[in-house]
Each structure stands twice: as C-alpha cells, then as structure tokens.
C-alpha cells in the first residue's frame, strides 16, 4: 500500500515551452501533497505544499507563476513548469501524506526534466 | 532554526561492517525524525523513523539512536551489504510529521565487497 506514481518519468522539452508533471496517490487519499526539486548530488528542496481544493503554499524563492500547482482531487496533484528554461532542468519529486499512517509521507519515483 | 546537519557526506564501508550516519538539528519543535534511502534516478523511500519519546528504534539491520538533549540522531546499518549502497537522507518534521519535512544534506554510502 501507499504507492505514489509520477508521470512522466522523464521529459525533454524546448526552451519556452510548458511541461506538466502529474503526481498520483494510487491506493490512498492524500489531502496534502508536496513538490520537491533535487539537483544532482544534492538534497531535496521543498518547492511547495499542495492542499486539495485550495491554493498551494510556496516556499520562499519559488516563483508561483512559473511553477503552477493544482491539487484538484484527493489523489492527483499537478506541477506545470511554464516557459521552461535550461536552468529549470532538474529532478522533480512529489510526495503524498497518508493521514491514516500518522502523517507519514510517501514519495513518487521522480520526473527528470531536461530543457534544451 | 530549520536546518538539519548531516555527516559524513560520503562513506565507504566493507561488506559486513557497520555504517554510521549522524544528524543534528536545531529546531526543538521537531518531533518526527525519518530516514530515507535513495537510489540513483529514484525517489526517496522511507527506511525507518523515530519519535523523541524513545531513544532507540530497530528494524532489521537498521537502528536509529536518538539523543534528545543533544539534539542528535544517527542511523546504524549493521552487516552492511553492497545492496545498501545508496544515498541516505535524515530528516525532521514537527507536529508528528504533519508539517513539512526538512531534509539533511545526504550521505552517499558505498559498501564494497
């Protein structure tokens, strides 16, 4: 149980285009999902907290208009990188909190974004 | 106040040996301390977690030791195996994990045969 999936697992796009990444909790309902960014050989940096049915809470320094987050249902959150540039190339990871398990977070497999 | 410091940055251990990774935190509001294992190109996976009401928690070959007064906690991997080679992250959160998780900087473990 407590499986989180991400789609796509990797994506290559041209500079200036937008990319949407999906995060799904497969066997539980997640009122809260988190989006992280990880650069090579570095730790995970929280970008935003996504709550179902409300606006996402962004961490300091994260551009809201560039990284659009939508949490429309209890099992799906999406991250859209708008007008992507090469510096947005990174590993994006989501996690979902299973409230049945004392708030434990379960992570998705990540999405590798490469912007040419 | 939100930092979690982790050491060492990298670690090489022989098969069968003990791997030890240390972490320290500053925020006394933290009350949930998970450890995650991450393989290259994959998301982190929860390995083991502890709450401050106990000083030690063991699951198989993995043990967390927790020192509340020193605000330190560590992960011990007994009988380390090559399959344990991965990056390990300690983390901390408040409100029993219901608040956002703050990650340590990571330790790359290599277990050599």
């Amino acid at each position: 149980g407590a499986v989180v999936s991400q789609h796509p697992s990797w994506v290559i796009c041209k500079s200036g285009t937008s990319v949407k990444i999906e995060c799904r909790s497969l066997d539980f309902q997640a009122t809260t999902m988190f989006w992280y960014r990880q650069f090579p050989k570095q730790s995970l940096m929280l970008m935003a907290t996504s709550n179902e049915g409300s606006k996402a809470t962004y961490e300091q320094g994260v551009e809201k208009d560039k990284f659009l987050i939508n949490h429309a249902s209890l099992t799906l959150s999406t991250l859209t990188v708008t007008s992507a540039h090469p510096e947005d190339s990174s590993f994006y990871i989501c996690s979902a909190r299973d409230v049945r398990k004392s708030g434990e977070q379960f992570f998705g497999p990540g999405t590798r974004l490469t912007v040419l | 106040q939100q930092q979690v410091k982790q050491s060492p940055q990298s670690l090489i251990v022989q098969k069968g040996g003990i791997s030890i990774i240390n972490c320290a935190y500053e925020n006394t509001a933290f009350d949930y301390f998970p450890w995650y294992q991450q393989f290259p190109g994959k998301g982190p996976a929860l390995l083991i977690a502890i709450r401050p009401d106990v000083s030690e928690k063991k699951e198989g070959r993995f043990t967390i030791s927790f020192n509340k007064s020193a605000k330190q906690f560590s992960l011990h991997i007994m009988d380390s195996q090559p399959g344990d080679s991965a990056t390990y992250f300690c983390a901390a959160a408040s409100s029993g994990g219901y608040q956002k998780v703050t990650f340590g900087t990571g330790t790359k473990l290599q277990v050599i045969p």
Side-chain angles (χ1 to χ4, degrees):
Chain A
V3 177
V4 176
S5 70
Q6 278 184 244
H7 179 80
S9 55
W10 59 270
V11 57
I12 301 173
C13 69
K14 293 182 179 180
S15 185
T17 61
S18 294
V19 174
K20 180 184 283 188
I21 302 170
E22 292 185 349
C23 176
R24 293 181 185 272
S25 56
L26 297 185
D27 52 359
F28 66 99
Q29 293 183 332
T31 54
T32 304
M33 290 183 173
F34 302 87
W35 286 95
Y36 295 84
R37 185 174 181 176
Q38 186 179 34
F39 290 107
K41 298 184 180 181
Q42 293 191 23
S43 187
L44 284 77
M45 297 301 296
L46 179 66
M47 298 176 64
T49 301
S50 168
N51 291 295
E52 186 266 338
S54 63
K55 291 183 178 180
T57 302
Y58 291 81
E59 294 299 299
Q60 192 173 12
V62 177
E63 299 177 58
K64 301 178 183 181
D65 295 332
K66 182 165 188 63
F67 299 100
L68 300 179
I69 291 172
N70 183 275
H71 192 160
S73 77
L74 288 172
T75 59
L76 173 65
S77 177
T78 59
L79 168 68
T80 301
V81 183
T82 63
S83 186
H85 289 94
E87 57 265 30
D88 298 325
S89 298
S90 189
F91 194 49
Y92 292 88
I93 307 171
C94 72
S95 71
R97 190 159 63 202
D98 187 347
V99 295
R100 302 169 305 173
K101 298 187 177 182
S102 302
E104 189 174 314
Q105 288 186 37
F106 295 90
F107 285 80
T111 296
R112 173 74 59 193
L113 170 63
T114 301
V115 184
L116 302 177
Chain B
Q1 281 288 319
Q2 295 296 320
Q3 281 188 321
V4 178
K5 296 179 180 179
Q6 183 172 349
S7 63
Q9 189 174 12
S10 62
L11 182 61
I12 299 176
V13 173
Q14 279 207 309
K15 179 182 176 181
I18 303 173
S19 304
I20 302 174
I21 304 171
N22 301 299
C23 284
Y25 63 97
E26 299 173 356
N27 189 346
T28 54
F30 288 147
D31 58 5
Y32 175 68
F33 303 91
W35 284 88
Y36 294 91
Q37 179 188 57
Q38 186 180 31
F39 293 103
K42 304 293 183 184
L46 179 66
L47 200 59
I48 185 173
I50 196 169
R51 299 184 190 279
D53 52 341
V54 296
S55 60
E56 185 175 283
K57 183 174 182 179
K58 182 177 181 179
E59 288 186 2
R61 296 185 293 111
F62 302 93
T63 300
I64 299 179
S65 297
F66 184 80
N67 186 328
K68 187 175 181 178
S69 60
K71 292 187 285 185
Q72 296 175 346
F73 57 111
S74 60
L75 176 70
H76 290 61
I77 305 175
M78 312 299 287
D79 186 26
S80 298
Q81 299 296 313
D84 296 331
S85 298
T87 298
Y88 292 82
F89 293 96
C90 64
S94 57
S95 302
Y98 282 87
Q99 300 301 319
K100 59 186 180 183
V101 174
T102 300
F103 282 84
T105 49
T107 297
K108 185 173 182 179
L109 170 65
Q110 184 181 359
V111 181
I112 55 177

